[in-house]
Every structure is written in C-alpha cells, then in structure tokens.
Amino acid sequence: MAHGVQFPAGFLWGAATSAYQIEGSPLADGAGPSIWQRFAHTPGMMRNGDTGDVACDHYRRWREDVALMRELGLQAYRFSVSWSRVLPEGRGRPNAAGLDFYERLVDALLENGIEPLVTLFHWDLPAALDDRGGWLNPDIAYWFAEYATLLFRRLDGRVKKWATLNEPWVVTDGGYLHGALAPGHRNRFEAPIASHHLLRAHGAAVHAYRGNGRHAIGIVVNLEPKYPASSSADDLAATRRADAYMNRQYLDPIYFGRYPEELAEIFGEAWPAWPAADFDLIRQPIDFLGVNYYTRSVVRHDADAWPLRAAAVKQHATYTETGWEVYPQGLTDTLLWVRERYGNPPVYITENGAAFYDPPVAENGAIEDPLRVQYQKKHLAAVADAIARGCDVRGYMAWSLLDNLEWSLGYSKRFGIVHVDFATQQRTIKASGRHYAQVIASNGDSLNRA
Ligand code: BGC
C-alpha cells in the first residue's frame, strides 16, 4: 500500500460487550430471568459449571468501567440491553430500576465523550417469553417491537445508533439446531422458523423505529467467508451451501426480500413455505450494517455432515484458543463482498478480536498479549485495505472491552483488551489495550510506525 494504513476522518473507534457476558446480578432490582440464566444453571451446559451470576460485576462497577473506557480513549462503546432486566416478563410491566441502569450508563458515557451503540438483543431472551415458545412463536415480532419502542422512547437522541439483533445465525444454529447455546434445542424443523421470526422481529423493530426514533438503526451479523477446499463441483456446491446458510440467510431477506435458494435444499422437508407478506416486514431499509468478523473457513463436501453436507478443512495457520484460524484477508474479502452484493451500505465492524492465552500479570503490572496485538494490527490493516478499495466502513469495535463469560465456554476464553481477574474483579489494561489506545489517538496512523 503506497500510503500505508489510513482511516477516514471521523472513523469511530470503540469496543464492545454484551449484557449477560459482563453484567452479573442477573436477577437484581426486579429483573426477570433470561434463557441464559436458566441454561447456565442447568447442570452440564456450561464449561466448569460457570454462570453469569457475577461475570465482570459490571452492573455494580459500571462507573469504573466507563472510566476505563475513557482511559483507553474509546470514542464509542457498544453494549446490549438485557430484555428481562427492563421487562421482567418480556412484555407488559417495565422494571424502572432496569431502565434507570441503562439510562445512567448512557448518560455517563455521553459525559465522558463516548458514543453509546446499543444492541437490543444479544441472545438473553426473557425466560417468560421462552415459556411461550420464544423465537418459535410468531407473536415475538410484536413483543420485540414493543420492547424496542420502550427503549427508543426512553433513550433515542442520547443513543443515535441502535442494532436490533446480534448474530441471528448464532441464535438459531447454536440455540435451535445444534443446542450448544440457550435455549439448547436440537431440531432441524425449528431452526428455520426461529430464523424467520428473528427476521420478522428485526423488521418490526425497524418499523417501530421509524415512528419513534430520529437517528440510525441496523442489524449485526457475523460473517465468515467460505473458500472451497478444491475446485471440484462437490466442494464448490458445499461452499455455496455453507455461505448461504451462514452469510446470506439473514442479509438476502433484509436487502432483497427473499431467502437464498440453497436453504430449501439444506433443510429439505423442514423448510416451510413462507407468506410473501412477511418479506415486506423483513425488508425495511436499514441505516447501517454491523459486521462481526473473527475467521474464515475452507470448505469441502462431506456427505455425513448434517445438515449442510459441508465440513471445514484445517489449515497450516495460527489458530486462536477458540480454534479459529487467524485470517485477516478474510475481513477485507468480507467487506468487499458486502459492498458488491448489498450495494455498499454504511458498515460498522461491530466485533473483531481473539481469545488467546494470557500470561499472568507481571510484577510491573503489565500483561503482554503479543498474539492479540498482532491480530489487532493485521485486522485493522485489512479494514483500511477495504476502505481504500471503496468500502464504506465507518467504525471498528474491538471484541471485547473486558475478558468475560464466553457463553457455554464460561470464563475459559479471554477476548478482552482489558484483563479481568475474576476472583478480585481487578481490571488491568493488556498490551493490546495500550496498543489500541494509540491506534485510536492517532486515528490509525500509529499502525504505520509499528
Ligand atoms: C458474539 C459474542 C462472543 C464472540 C466470541 C460473537 O459470536 O457476538 O457474544 O463472545 O463472538 O465468540
């Protein structure tokens, strides 16, 4: 690159978290249980029996955490609202203490010059709604829109960027198809239904926003580019299926008003005929797209792999502690693909980061995490490359601000740019956090000096 790494003026630098992963106190002050509260307390579901009961204790330490964000120089903070904290039964009677918590957090962020990016749903569905079928009940689109409206009315204006859902693919693949995540179902018939109602709920919330909000709303998806292991017809077809399932299942309906045709082939008799009118609801114009990027996969045909008939092939490469290949080029490729396929929408990278083993805190208080620093540098260069090639990328949120509960893997994986000692709740900025602070302060220019 002739001019090195460059980011446009006004590029938004931040870090991200989600409610159940950091807050703790899940039932405090009138909050209702979520499906993650239930799942975590079901024996055998979580590594080491970990739960989100305490997590990073952010519900009580949020002031300290905002100070930490300021110390890092963050310009934005992406967090999620716990639906059952503000609506203990998922609908109906709001919990004033829950709403106050998020309002105080937003105000503290603004006082510190940090823009809040709010995600309405990051997987912690109210348990009371799961009792009524959760994402399998068509009414959830209206329940979600009501919940969203409550927050729009309270916080829009102070919050100028909203995301409806975080990673609907993970919700259905982990929660309804393979069962590794809450609510832990394994059912090929349920997965497409849950996906469809997630999309309808997204559309209903966007629609509600147009009546109640004045700024920007979008959705966050995880994109993982799929590359064929060979040019055989079987491998190419398997790659198309994997891509349709993970990358196009949600974006095609939102941008084009239809599902990718491969989904009917993948789900077979479990693929329903959808009412055409649903796509009018789903296909609402959105103001930005949130992209979470971690890795790629190289795909080969595998007749035994259910239901995709596609399997990932290991590479000779660096893998993170979650077993994900480090592949920065995939982020550039993904952003170029979004530009081409969906008409160059404004994009925020809403998550990017890596779990690596962290050494203990050194005597001088430092935590050296060179692999995470490398990951960060290379992925930021990949973003800059995409921008230089015309992608409208407007910001980057590191995942994650804090080491936190990595869902069913518990506290065994650390993604933070800030280390959390879970015994004492002591926070320590890692070398990657210090590195990121320099990137922010120089709008990316420090990457050219490394
Ligand atoms: C999720 C986060 C998660 C991260 C790392 C994303 O799928 O949005 O909640 O911790 O990836 O697995």
Side-chain angles (χ1 to χ4, degrees), residues 18 21 122-123 166-167 170 292 294 324 351 399 404-407 415:
S18 91
Q21 294 181 275
H122 199 127
W123 308 357
N166 179 71
E167 301 189 351
V170 176
N292 294 352
Y294 289 94
W324 299 341
E351 287 179 28
W399 184 269
N404 59 46
L405 180 93
E406 180 53 20
W407 304 109
F415 277 89

